Amino acid sequence: MKTEAQLKKMGTEKLAEYAGESLGIVFEDDVSREQMVAEILAAQDNADDEAAQDQQDEAEELSKVEVMPNEKRIRLTIHEAEGPGGDKPLPVSVNGVAISIPRNMEVDVPERYIEALKLCVSTVYEFKKGKDGTDEMVGRQVPRFGMTILGPVE
């Protein structure tokens, strides 16, 4: 998403390219630069509204996921991650039952999905000095997904 200031600095060719690639907008030849900027801003606002509604819909769907006997619902937030898709909802599956957890919003999920997320780790390698003074490559496991667990839902 581009700000109004960023859009106003762009020429008509760049505006048309950005609008086509990012928003699927095709402008007629006689459209002014100002009209292009206004249409792009409106389309971006609409896309933001749709994304927010999609996240809200996903959060509501989570509340419908069946909780097993003696299982609690846990409130958590999954944070954005680096790279492509790092802002998209996170799919998590336990015993063949998949859910999609929106990012950057508090949601309530059955405890079994929290446990599955805690088991997701990546190995990070770094060089450290060994006892004999040579460099050794050492791996350590770090959580794959940044999350804040807020606790059980009453």
Side-chain angles (χ1 to χ4, degrees), residues 39 58 66 80 97 103 113 127 134-135 149:
E39 284 189 43
E58 288 168 359
E66 187 176 327
E80 283 189 24
V97 180
R103 294 186 191 249
Y113 293 95
F127 286 101
T134 60
D135 285 336
I149 299 172

Side-chain angles (χ1 to χ4, degrees), residues 55 77-82 85-88 103-104 145-146:
Q55 270 198 329
T77 301
I78 302 288
H79 305 289
E80 283 189 24
E82 288 184 32
D87 60 341
K88 304 283 187 236
R103 294 186 191 249
N104 296 326
F145 303 106

Side-chain angles (χ1 to χ4, degrees), residues 9-23:
K9 291 179 183 176
M10 297 169 73
T12 54
E13 286 182 22
K14 286 288 184 188
L15 284 169
E17 181 181 323
Y18 171 73
E21 290 177 2
S22 301
L23 303 166

